[in-house]
Amino acid sequence: MDHSGLHRRSGGIGPKPCTSFRVKWTESRSNLTLPNSSWSLAALELEEGEAVHVLHPNQIVAFRGASSQREDSLMKLSGMYRKKRMIQSCIRGKSRFLLGLPDGYILTAVNIAAEDDLLFEFRHVLFYTEGMKFRTHIQTVAKALMTRDLVRMRFEGPGTLGLLTSGPLYELALHPTEPLFVDTACLVAYPRQSQIRPCVYGNTLASQHMNYQWELTGQGSVLIQPCKPDKTLDDQMQSNGLIRRVLRELLPFGGVFIK
């Protein structure tokens, strides 16, 4: 298989001892270091004049700095709806803090340039740096039904986004005419000017049993997470017997009554 269009999107914030906090704001996307998937903490260090907005304040598990450097405020209504939260935090000035990560997720720091036009799912955003702007992009009804999200967010830099994803973040290049198919649950961001539509592909059996896919063409690159929450797969991986798995699949309501 040719993987020439597939690039591991580095940028995860690696684990540091509790006495060492930092994040490299100035590194390019391709040079940032990807964390091991087992790491559960991310360490950030701010200098004078820097600030970061944390959209999940409960994930701040340790902070070193003056109390006045943290300011909590109400989110905008659109953010409350998509994040299912009301409060966000802004931390300013020279300080250090640790962010706890949900089990199975990785934090990736992605630099956003002023000319970037990537559209993100807001739920992936853990933090963004001061000075960035973001605009809402209303999706079509068909896209909203497929993604269960009416709005995508376009962030304008320069600045850095902290993204939570299921597994490492990867970048795939688009082609103007050759379509790229991506599972709708795995697509994290795509260029605003790309052509995108929901579809399935393959023969009849494949198209009847796969999740809906995004068919994408255009210029630029998309960001994907290679893993996705899949309770069925988790159950299969943890199952302790072939007979039990077969009964779950064959019996009516087998998945409900046979644990």
Side-chain angles (χ1 to χ4, degrees):
M1 179 181 291
D2 181 10
H3 293 283
S4 59
L6 178 63
H7 302 280
R8 193 170 182 173
R9 188 60 147 202
S10 52
I13 301 169
K16 307 290 179 184
C18 288
T19 56
S20 176
F21 305 67
R22 69 175 185 163
V23 62
K24 299 178 181 178
W25 301 117
T26 58
E27 292 191 64
S28 67
R29 299 180 191 176
S30 59
N31 291 330
L32 290 169
T33 302
L34 190 72
N36 183 293
S37 60
S38 64
W39 296 345
S40 58
L41 287 174
L44 284 77
E45 179 178 0
L46 301 179
E47 299 296 337
E48 290 295 341
E50 294 181 331
V52 63
H53 296 267
V54 182
L55 302 183
H56 292 269
N58 288 343
Q59 301 307 121
I60 301 175
V61 297
F63 172 76
R64 177 169 292 173
S67 175
S68 59
Q69 289 178 262
R70 172 173 171 168
E71 299 178 3
D72 284 15
S73 60
L74 289 174
M75 282 188 180
K76 295 180 179 179
L77 288 177
S78 58
M80 291 181 188
Y81 171 74
R82 285 187 289 278
K83 282 293 188 181
K84 306 297 188 292
R85 294 179 181 274
M86 297 182 63
I87 304 296
Q88 67 180 38
S89 294
C90 179
I91 297 178
R92 300 179 182 277
K94 190 173 181 61
S95 58
R96 301 172 177 179
F97 61 98
L98 287 176
L99 292 170
L101 307 183
D103 186 34
Y105 284 81
I106 283 178
L107 177 61
T108 305
V110 177
N111 280 6
I112 302 296
E115 66 275 9
D116 277 354
D117 68 343
L118 288 174
L119 299 178
F120 291 86
E121 281 196 47
F122 201 48
R123 64 188 177 91
H124 288 288
V125 181
L126 177 59
F127 68 80
Y128 63 92
T129 53
E130 180 85 341
M132 296 188 69
K133 299 178 181 178
F134 53 90
R135 305 173 185 273
T136 57
H137 178 81
I138 306 299
Q139 300 197 107
T140 64
V141 174
K143 292 178 182 177
L145 291 175
M146 293 300 102
T147 61
R148 300 180 183 177
D149 194 354
L150 181 61
V151 176
R152 288 263 174 163
M153 306 300 295
R154 179 189 176 191
F155 286 84
E156 299 177 357
T160 302
L161 283 181
L163 301 176
L164 280 176
T165 55
S166 299
L169 196 63
Y170 282 81
E171 178 179 14
L172 288 85
L174 294 179
H175 189 275
T177 57
E178 182 181 344
L180 171 68
F181 298 94
V182 179
D183 191 303
T184 57
C186 295
L187 186 61
V188 175
Y190 58 87
R192 181 169 59 93
Q193 298 297 336
S194 61
Q195 289 72 53
I196 177 172
R197 69 183 185 90
C199 67
V200 292
Y201 65 92
N203 63 6
T204 302
L205 185 61
S207 62
Q208 287 179 347
H209 290 275
M210 69 171 55
N211 293 328
Y212 274 101
Q213 308 283 314
W214 287 123
E215 180 186 290
L216 300 110
T217 55
Q219 303 289 336
S221 301
V222 298
L223 302 181
I224 69 166
Q225 55 182 0
C227 308
K228 57 185 179 180
D230 189 339
K231 188 175 185 304
T232 301
L233 179 60
D234 291 342
D235 290 342
Q236 291 173 349
M237 295 297 290
Q238 297 172 12
S239 178
N240 56 7
L242 175 62
I243 295 177
R244 182 171 294 181
R245 292 200 302 269
V246 172
L247 291 176
R248 280 204 193 105
E249 295 293 330
L250 297 181
L251 293 179
F253 305 105
V256 175
F257 297 110
I258 301 176
K259 303 298 183 181

